[in-house]
Amino acid sequence: MTRFMHIVRRDLYLALRQGMDSAMVVMFFVLAVVLFPFGVGPEANILARIASGVIWVAALLASMLSLERLFQTDFEDGSLELLSLAPMTLEVIVLAKVTTHWLTTGLPLIAAAPLLAVLMNMNIDGFGTLILALAIGTPTLSLLGSVGAALILGSRRGGVLLSLLILPLYIPLLIFGVSAVDSAISGFAVRPQLMIMGGFLVATLPLCPWAASAALRQALE
Amino acid sequence: MARFTGENLTCIRGERCVFTGLDFAIQPGGALKLVGPNGSGKSSLLRLMAGLIPPASGSLAWDDGAVSEDPEEHNGRLHYVGHLDAVKTVLTVAENVRFWAGLRPGADTARSAVVAALGVFGIAHLVDVPGRFLSAGQRRRVNLTRIVSAPAELWLLDEPTTALDAAATAGLEQTMARHRAGGGMVVVSTHTEVGLDGAEVLDLSDFAENVHDEADSMAVGL
Amino acid sequence: MFDRFANPARFMRFSKIVLPWLAGITIICIAVGLYLGLFTAPADYQQGESVRIMYVHVPSAWMALFCYTNMAIAAGIGLIWKHPLADLAAKSSAPAGACFTFLALLTGSLWGKPMWGAWWVWDARLTSMLVLFFLYLGYIALNNAFDDPTRGSKASSVLVLVGFVNVPIIKFSVDWWNTLHQPASVFKAAGPAVDTSMLIPLMLMAVGFTTYFLWIVMLRMRGEIIGGKIRAIRLRQVHG
């Protein structure tokens, strides 16, 4: 556990020193959502109708944006090799990296989401559920993404490839995330959707680090 | 009885057989020097010893226990220095060394200990300099500092003298001698002369695959 | 069991014998199946002649899932037992599977036009098929993204297993999403109550598609093995 924190602390420190990464992810998130009123027109009721979907899609894309660098920099400078030779399981190292990714990407997205909900004229009844659904959903995004980020190490055209691999896997989360918010706005129960999303998180928590470690071992061979 | 042994090792990289039928044995305090032309598999053998690549056939053993049974424990008793130095450009030298040392049990990460370890390779004055200002030789010395700052019985060094000047090479030779005097083991691949008293020499070109056998087995398939 | 086919040389001999048989069965089954389906089988009293699209659409959709399952099994064998032919089998199945999926999408869209007046409806089954198509494309892209072909096939083996676990989840969530937005399905007509005169051509087409798949995969595997040998010869020229 102390070594887990040791890696998280170092990665957070690196993210802060290299600056801007989190800020750019949030800027992309805001900008992507702001494009929609220009695309579909500024009528308040249309925007309110599509608000939850647009925010979720933008969140998926923003979270994917920084995934490419999850292992890439460590892979290129030899750190990943040495990390895998540390006397600890590779799964724990992956989990530490995923934790950092969520802290620097998922958390800022959740913080920015209410602002965007206001811009999109979303019904106030959905705000709480939107934040809750994002809080359950974004860690799953980071976990699924870690598998893709590990698979593309050393490939040509990493970033575009990553989106092709990962976006189809994000679809279930998108469906239930949006459905939860829409149910809250229409006054229905949101528990089933949130429970299912919680189930996704519980399932990906052990499986994704395991698959990502297998992919990392291949990349380091 | 040898501490660390490999038996009948075969290594396939990509689709090419790099070496086959290779045996080695190292005693406590012993050293092994890997020589051979480019592409003969010196780096591959070191990575195989570290457990980064699984052997296509054959096995590694530590005190007669198979290494593959507990790879984590094997990680704990070795240090590996590869072609890349793993020095983060935005972290200072001390932060870099401390991070790697902190991942291992029994490492002293106090500042004084880090400065002392850096002193071994003559870069104690760089302790607070960020990685991006270092030259290639200095980065390599930071990487070597990493291995003296946390104890491990087996050192696997892939061309460690690359980018090092004469003084630093001498420092490395002394460090390796001290490590072996304490019962440690060293495996070094090298093109240049590295002082390593009483080291066994393993010429990788002796274990290249017999080309004619392979050509015969291919003819059957086609 | 795997050891019998582990040797590429043995596979080359075995496939040489089997290939003409597969080709023959494929041609006969598809020819007879198409004739029965397009000319003999009755038209649907609601959908008219357009129901005949079913004889291509339904087997294609089956094959799309069958190929992916096959790839996942082959990838699992390749990863666990390090079986080189299993990796090749997975790699060779992917383009065939992608084509079947595309065919299912295309015929589904053609079927939807007379039924619903639109080329594309976000029907649950069609949408799941579309996602499956993207999974295939991702697999093929990853397989070809590396300079070292062994690395590509290993990485994509992990991907196909991850995808395989996800397919039922995607199917479940798409069904959920669909019932929320659009209850009707285009393909309810092709339910279990199908007449024998329709079932026979359907089964013939399914058998024909399966043997076609095996035929193509074996051909591609032979090509891959020979390609590997050419690469080995080139490597030997470089390394002496």
Side-chain angles (χ1 to χ4, degrees), chain B residues 4-42:
Chain B
F4 184 43
T5 54
E7 205 173 298
N8 198 21
L9 295 168
T10 301
C11 174
I12 295 173
R13 305 297 292 146
E15 294 173 314
R16 186 173 74 95
C17 180
V18 184
F19 55 76
T20 184
L22 186 147
D23 298 305
F24 71 86
I26 316 172
Q27 319 283 347
L32 195 61
K33 198 193 262 185
L34 309 181
V35 296
N38 287 338
S40 61
K42 301 187 292 293

Side-chain angles (χ1 to χ4, degrees), chain A residues 91-102:
Chain A
E91 282 82 354
V92 176
I93 296 168
V94 171
L95 212 52
K97 295 246 161 217
V98 169
T99 308
T100 318
H101 181 259
W102 183 74

Side-chain angles (χ1 to χ4, degrees), chain B residues 51-194:
Chain B
L52 283 168
I53 37 180
S57 72
S59 59
L60 294 170
W62 187 277
D63 285 344
D64 289 338
V67 163
S68 55
E69 273 168 24
D70 193 350
E72 264 174 70
E73 197 192 344
H74 188 60
N75 285 352
R77 54 200 174 205
L78 68 86
H79 271 308
Y80 170 78
V81 172
H83 294 291
L84 299 163
D85 288 320
V87 174
K88 286 286 169 196
T89 51
V90 292
L91 298 183
T92 66
V93 167
E95 284 165 343
N96 270 300
V97 173
R98 259 192 191 145
F99 170 70
W100 293 115
L103 283 177
R104 296 178 155 269
D108 186 358
T109 53
R111 188 182 163 85
S112 57
V114 173
V115 173
L118 288 168
V120 173
F121 295 100
I123 47 169
H125 61 288
L126 297 176
V127 65
D128 288 321
V129 174
R132 64 174 172 279
F133 295 124
L134 300 182
S135 71
Q138 287 167 331
R139 277 204 301 275
R140 174 45 59 103
R141 285 193 259 184
V142 172
N143 193 4
L144 290 170
T145 306
R146 174 178 66 81
I147 70 171
V148 292
S149 62
E153 213 176 329
L154 173 66
W155 289 3
L156 303 170
L157 313 177
D158 196 355
E159 307 277 0
T161 53
T162 310
L164 289 189
D165 56 23
T169 307
L172 176 65
E173 284 166 355
Q174 284 162 18
T175 313
M176 289 194 292
R178 215 174 311 134
H179 178 60
R180 289 170 63 196
M185 295 174 281
V186 182
V187 183
V188 185
S189 79
T190 182
H191 279 298
T192 53
E193 266 314 302
V194 177

Side-chain angles (χ1 to χ4, degrees), chain A residues 49 147 150-156 161 164-165 168-169 171-172 175-176 179 192-193 196 200 211 214-215 218-219 221, chain C residues 79 131 134-135 137-138 141-142 144-147 151 154-155 158-159 162-163 166 169-170 172-174 176-177 180-181:
Chain A
R49 169 72 195 79
V147 181
L151 284 173
I152 60 152
L153 285 180
S155 71
R156 308 181 287 261
L161 185 59
L164 191 56
L165 305 187
L169 304 181
I171 290 173
I175 288 172
F176 290 106
S179 165
Q193 288 93 326
I196 289 169
F200 288 161
Q218 291 173 1
E221 259 187 30
Chain C
L79 282 179
V131 179
F134 289 133
L135 291 180
L137 292 187
L142 186 65
N144 293 311
F146 296 93
D147 293 325
R151 165 96 174 93
K154 278 185 185 170
V158 174
L159 179 72
V162 172
N166 266 281
I169 300 171
I170 292 171
F172 162 70
S173 28
V174 169
W176 162 296
W177 163 80
L180 285 182
H181 296 281

